[in-house]
Amino acid sequence: MTRLADLAELVRAPAALSVPGDVLSGAAAAGTLDRRTPALAGASVLLYWAGMAANDWADRRLDAVERPERPIPSGRVRPAAAFGVAAGLTAAGLALAGAAGGRRATAVAVPLAATIWGYDLLAKNTAAGPAVMAACRGLDVLLGASVGPGRGQAGRRTAPAARGLVRALPAALTVAAHTWTVTALSRREVSGADRRLPRATLAGTALVAATALGRPDPVPVALAAGYAGRYGAAQARVLADPSPARVRAAVGAGITGLPALQGALTARAGARLLGLAVAAAAPLGHRLARMISPT
């Protein structure tokens, strides 16, 4: 019988702390923070967990060789059960997004779910893998911006969702760029990396942090600096020693450090207290990662 702890490891439960900040930063950027936002964040978490379960199901034969301790190859979770968990969580995530945000949220959640499954089943081991995963996170940010009213230039009425999506696009691209660096590194968790890779991702991290600053404001500046310092230091260690263990540590730092970046983006949009709350998930995620690996 599958234990709850095994399912938590299958979906890498603590890593989900890096997910609600996508929706919150998108909603803050679009000016659509309201009572629907927490439900959209919940839908985002369900879709993330679905992707993690689908990832292990798709990789079950490879993991039997490279990571035999994972739930499926170790026999603690049956492949059919993992697939069922992934499908069920996907359906639940789409249903929750639709209930919270109607057709507009569904119009973003469906492509998000399709991109998640496309990454796991098709793109992950191709050259397009990092870009597809980056698209997943970018769409996740836009999910938070999918449901707000607004007016266009000269006071003309615009499609509310379209206006919010446009306003949230810079935040979505910033989170997507960060995700590209983490995904590119994750492809070398077993083999180790060529030093050119951490050079490229470290430069990307510096650019992402600079983008998150926005106008001079101590809160986003401090959060962006904290993000760049922790994740950048982990990549610098890969540059010095590109071994698999160092690469895995950098990937973990990228995952657990993402809330600090999301917090900076949220604070940059004017929601400073919410930004600090989002960033508070980073140290908690770091502690929980010691119990259940986020990679």
Side-chain angles (χ1 to χ4, degrees):
M1 184 175 180
T2 302
R3 299 181 306 158
L4 184 59
D6 297 327
L7 292 176
E9 185 178 351
L10 176 73
V11 301
R12 297 166 176 83
L17 287 170
S18 72
V19 177
D22 287 343
V23 169
L24 294 172
S25 62
T32 61
L33 282 167
D34 63 19
R35 57 183 177 78
R36 298 167 292 184
T37 305
L40 291 175
S44 174
V45 169
L46 292 173
L47 292 174
Y48 181 87
W49 279 340
M52 292 295 100
N55 173 78
D56 270 27
W57 179 82
D59 280 357
R60 60 193 184 279
R61 294 182 180 87
L62 180 62
D63 283 346
V65 176
E66 295 183 348
R67 296 185 176 186
E69 75 283 357
R70 290 294 300 161
I72 295 177
S74 67
R76 290 177 287 131
V77 175
R78 292 182 296 109
F83 186 86
V85 167
L89 288 170
T90 299
L94 291 174
L96 182 56
R103 290 178 296 175
R104 290 168 178 154
T106 300
V108 178
V110 169
L112 171 58
T115 306
I116 289 170
W117 279 86
Y119 173 81
D120 287 332
L121 301 183
L122 299 172
K124 178 167 53 179
N125 296 317
T126 72
V132 174
M133 179 56 78
C136 290
R137 282 288 188 170
L139 286 168
D140 204 30
V141 174
L142 294 180
L143 181 61
S146 61
V147 291
R151 289 189 176 271
Q153 293 181 347
R156 289 178 296 179
R157 191 76 181 174
T158 64
R163 184 172 186 268
L165 293 174
V166 169
R167 292 179 64 180
L169 189 57
L173 292 174
T174 299
V175 172
H178 163 81
T179 304
W180 184 93
T181 69
V182 177
T183 308
L185 285 168
S186 72
R187 291 156 70 92
R188 296 292 180 266
E189 287 183 306
V190 175
S191 63
D194 182 293
R195 283 186 170 83
R196 288 175 295 182
L197 177 60
R199 286 194 193 102
T201 61
L202 192 55
T205 298
L207 180 60
V208 165
T211 303
L213 294 177
R215 65 179 186 271
D217 186 307
V219 175
V221 167
L223 294 178
Y227 153 79
R230 185 169 181 276
Y231 183 34
Q235 292 173 85
R237 288 190 285 271
V238 176
L239 191 58
D241 173 19
S243 64
R246 288 285 177 89
V247 173
R248 284 194 294 273
V251 172
I255 294 172
T256 60
L258 177 55
L261 174 62
Q262 296 161 334
L265 293 169
T266 303
R268 185 184 72 177
R272 294 176 182 83
L273 291 178
L274 181 59
L276 290 170
V278 169
L284 177 58
H286 181 60
R287 292 189 184 93
L288 291 176
R290 296 173 184 172
M291 295 183 285
I292 299 177
S293 172
T295 68

